[in-house]
Short mmCIF file of all heavy atoms in Angstrom, two decimals:
data_model
loop_
_atom_site.label_atom_id
_atom_site.label_comp_id
_atom_site.label_asym_id
_atom_site.label_seq_id
_atom_site.Cartn_x
_atom_site.Cartn_y
_atom_site.Cartn_z
N GLU B 1 97.65 31.00 178.40
CA GLU B 1 97.21 32.29 177.87
C GLU B 1 96.14 32.10 176.79
O GLU B 1 95.20 32.90 176.69
CB GLU B 1 98.41 33.07 177.28
CG GLU B 1 99.42 33.59 178.30
CD GLU B 1 100.35 32.47 178.80
OE1 GLU B 1 100.33 31.37 178.21
OE2 GLU B 1 101.07 32.71 179.79
N ASP B 2 96.27 31.04 175.98
CA ASP B 2 95.25 30.75 174.97
C ASP B 2 93.91 30.45 175.63
O ASP B 2 92.85 30.93 175.19
CB ASP B 2 95.67 29.55 174.11
CG ASP B 2 96.90 29.85 173.27
OD1 ASP B 2 97.09 31.01 172.89
OD2 ASP B 2 97.67 28.89 173.00
N TRP B 3 93.96 29.65 176.68
CA TRP B 3 92.72 29.33 177.39
C TRP B 3 92.11 30.59 178.00
O TRP B 3 90.89 30.81 177.92
CB TRP B 3 92.98 28.30 178.49
CG TRP B 3 93.18 26.90 177.99
CD1 TRP B 3 94.37 26.30 177.69
CD2 TRP B 3 92.17 25.94 177.71
NE1 TRP B 3 94.16 25.02 177.25
CE2 TRP B 3 92.82 24.76 177.25
CE3 TRP B 3 90.79 25.95 177.81
CZ2 TRP B 3 92.13 23.62 176.89
CZ3 TRP B 3 90.08 24.81 177.46
CH2 TRP B 3 90.75 23.65 176.99
N ALA B 4 92.95 31.42 178.61
CA ALA B 4 92.45 32.64 179.22
C ALA B 4 91.82 33.55 178.18
O ALA B 4 90.77 34.19 178.43
CB ALA B 4 93.58 33.36 179.95
N GLU B 5 92.42 33.61 176.99
CA GLU B 5 91.86 34.44 175.91
C GLU B 5 90.48 33.93 175.50
O GLU B 5 89.53 34.71 175.32
CB GLU B 5 92.80 34.42 174.70
CG GLU B 5 92.27 35.23 173.52
CD GLU B 5 93.16 35.11 172.30
OE1 GLU B 5 94.32 34.64 172.44
OE2 GLU B 5 92.70 35.47 171.19
N ALA B 6 90.34 32.63 175.37
CA ALA B 6 89.03 32.06 175.01
C ALA B 6 88.00 32.32 176.10
O ALA B 6 86.84 32.62 175.81
CB ALA B 6 89.17 30.56 174.76
N PHE B 7 88.42 32.22 177.35
CA PHE B 7 87.50 32.43 178.46
C PHE B 7 87.03 33.89 178.55
O PHE B 7 86.00 34.17 179.16
CB PHE B 7 88.16 32.02 179.79
CG PHE B 7 88.00 30.56 180.11
CD1 PHE B 7 88.10 29.59 179.12
CD2 PHE B 7 87.74 30.14 181.40
CE1 PHE B 7 87.95 28.25 179.40
CE2 PHE B 7 87.58 28.79 181.70
CZ PHE B 7 87.68 27.85 180.70
N ARG B 8 87.80 34.80 177.96
CA ARG B 8 87.39 36.21 177.99
C ARG B 8 86.42 36.56 176.86
O ARG B 8 85.92 37.69 176.80
CB ARG B 8 88.63 37.12 177.88
CG ARG B 8 89.50 37.15 179.12
CD ARG B 8 90.52 38.27 179.05
NE ARG B 8 91.47 38.10 177.96
CZ ARG B 8 92.64 37.49 178.07
NH1 ARG B 8 93.02 36.99 179.24
NH2 ARG B 8 93.44 37.38 177.02
N THR B 9 86.12 35.63 176.00
CA THR B 9 85.29 35.91 174.82
C THR B 9 83.87 36.32 175.15
O THR B 9 83.36 37.31 174.60
CB THR B 9 85.26 34.67 173.89
OG1 THR B 9 86.60 34.32 173.53
CG2 THR B 9 84.44 34.97 172.65
N PRO B 10 83.15 35.62 176.02
CA PRO B 10 81.74 35.98 176.25
C PRO B 10 81.59 37.34 176.92
O PRO B 10 82.46 37.77 177.69
CB PRO B 10 81.24 34.87 177.19
CG PRO B 10 82.26 33.79 177.12
CD PRO B 10 83.55 34.46 176.82
N GLY B 11 80.49 38.00 176.62
CA GLY B 11 80.18 39.25 177.30
C GLY B 11 79.81 38.99 178.75
O GLY B 11 79.45 37.87 179.13
N PRO B 12 79.85 40.03 179.58
CA PRO B 12 79.60 39.85 181.03
C PRO B 12 78.17 39.42 181.35
O PRO B 12 77.92 38.88 182.42
CB PRO B 12 79.91 41.23 181.61
CG PRO B 12 79.73 42.18 180.46
CD PRO B 12 80.15 41.43 179.24
N ASP B 13 77.23 39.66 180.44
CA ASP B 13 75.83 39.34 180.72
C ASP B 13 75.43 37.95 180.24
O ASP B 13 74.28 37.54 180.44
CB ASP B 13 74.91 40.38 180.07
CG ASP B 13 75.11 41.77 180.66
OD1 ASP B 13 75.46 41.86 181.85
OD2 ASP B 13 74.91 42.75 179.93
N LEU B 14 76.35 37.24 179.60
CA LEU B 14 76.00 35.91 179.08
C LEU B 14 76.06 34.88 180.19
O LEU B 14 77.05 34.79 180.93
CB LEU B 14 76.97 35.53 177.96
CG LEU B 14 76.46 34.55 176.90
CD1 LEU B 14 75.22 35.12 176.22
CD2 LEU B 14 77.53 34.26 175.87
N VAL B 15 75.01 34.07 180.33
CA VAL B 15 74.96 33.08 181.41
C VAL B 15 75.93 31.93 181.11
O VAL B 15 76.37 31.74 179.97
CB VAL B 15 73.54 32.54 181.60
CG1 VAL B 15 72.61 33.66 182.02
CG2 VAL B 15 73.02 31.87 180.33
N HIS B 16 76.23 31.17 182.14
CA HIS B 16 77.27 30.15 182.07
C HIS B 16 77.11 29.19 180.89
O HIS B 16 78.03 28.99 180.10
CB HIS B 16 77.30 29.35 183.38
CG HIS B 16 78.22 28.18 183.36
ND1 HIS B 16 79.53 28.25 183.77
CD2 HIS B 16 78.02 26.87 182.97
CE1 HIS B 16 80.10 27.06 183.64
NE2 HIS B 16 79.20 26.21 183.15
N ASN B 17 75.94 28.57 180.77
CA ASN B 17 75.77 27.55 179.73
C ASN B 17 75.76 28.13 178.33
O ASN B 17 76.19 27.47 177.38
CB ASN B 17 74.48 26.75 179.98
CG ASN B 17 74.62 25.80 181.16
OD1 ASN B 17 75.72 25.38 181.52
ND2 ASN B 17 73.51 25.48 181.80
N ASP B 18 75.28 29.36 178.17
CA ASP B 18 75.33 30.01 176.86
C ASP B 18 76.76 30.44 176.53
O ASP B 18 77.20 30.36 175.37
CB ASP B 18 74.41 31.23 176.83
CG ASP B 18 72.94 30.84 176.84
OD1 ASP B 18 72.65 29.63 176.66
OD2 ASP B 18 72.10 31.72 177.03
N ALA B 19 77.48 30.91 177.52
CA ALA B 19 78.87 31.33 177.31
C ALA B 19 79.73 30.14 176.89
O ALA B 19 80.73 30.31 176.17
CB ALA B 19 79.43 31.95 178.58
N ARG B 20 79.35 28.97 177.32
CA ARG B 20 80.12 27.77 177.02
C ARG B 20 80.30 27.58 175.52
O ARG B 20 81.41 27.26 175.04
CB ARG B 20 79.39 26.56 177.63
CG ARG B 20 80.16 25.27 177.69
CD ARG B 20 79.38 24.27 178.53
NE ARG B 20 80.11 23.04 178.69
CZ ARG B 20 80.02 22.01 177.86
NH1 ARG B 20 79.20 22.08 176.82
NH2 ARG B 20 80.73 20.91 178.06
N ASP B 21 79.26 27.77 174.73
CA ASP B 21 79.36 27.62 173.28
C ASP B 21 80.32 28.63 172.67
O ASP B 21 81.12 28.31 171.78
CB ASP B 21 77.98 27.77 172.63
CG ASP B 21 77.09 26.57 172.88
OD1 ASP B 21 77.61 25.53 173.34
OD2 ASP B 21 75.87 26.66 172.62
N GLU B 22 80.25 29.88 173.14
CA GLU B 22 81.13 30.91 172.61
C GLU B 22 82.59 30.62 172.94
O GLU B 22 83.48 30.84 172.12
CB GLU B 22 80.72 32.28 173.17
CG GLU B 22 79.42 32.82 172.58
CD GLU B 22 79.29 34.31 172.77
OE1 GLU B 22 80.29 34.95 173.19
OE2 GLU B 22 78.20 34.84 172.51
N ILE B 23 82.83 30.14 174.16
CA ILE B 23 84.22 29.83 174.54
C ILE B 23 84.75 28.68 173.71
O ILE B 23 85.91 28.70 173.25
CB ILE B 23 84.28 29.50 176.05
CG1 ILE B 23 83.95 30.75 176.86
CG2 ILE B 23 85.65 28.96 176.43
CD1 ILE B 23 83.80 30.49 178.34
N TRP B 24 83.94 27.66 173.49
CA TRP B 24 84.38 26.51 172.68
C TRP B 24 84.71 26.96 171.26
O TRP B 24 85.75 26.56 170.71
CB TRP B 24 83.29 25.45 172.68
CG TRP B 24 83.56 24.26 171.80
CD1 TRP B 24 82.89 23.91 170.68
CD2 TRP B 24 84.59 23.28 171.97
NE1 TRP B 24 83.41 22.77 170.14
CE2 TRP B 24 84.46 22.35 170.91
CE3 TRP B 24 85.59 23.08 172.91
CZ2 TRP B 24 85.31 21.26 170.75
CZ3 TRP B 24 86.43 21.97 172.77
CH2 TRP B 24 86.30 21.08 171.71
N GLU B 25 83.87 27.78 170.67
CA GLU B 25 84.15 28.27 169.31
C GLU B 25 85.41 29.12 169.28
O GLU B 25 86.22 29.00 168.35
CB GLU B 25 82.95 29.09 168.81
CG GLU B 25 81.71 28.26 168.56
CD GLU B 25 80.49 29.12 168.26
OE1 GLU B 25 80.67 30.36 168.14
OE2 GLU B 25 79.38 28.56 168.13
#
């Protein structure tokens, strides 16, 4: 559930590699 919560962080328009930084943070 923690991982799923982090994966939901980026907005829908953020591309994969940019979303990666937001998910890590």
Side-chain angles (χ1 to χ4, degrees):
E1 290 78 10
D2 294 330
W3 284 93
E5 179 184 345
F7 273 40
R8 288 192 296 268
T9 303
D13 296 330
L14 206 59
V15 297
H16 173 92
N17 287 335
D18 289 349
R20 193 171 184 270
D21 287 347
E22 287 200 10
I23 293 172
W24 175 248
E25 291 172 6

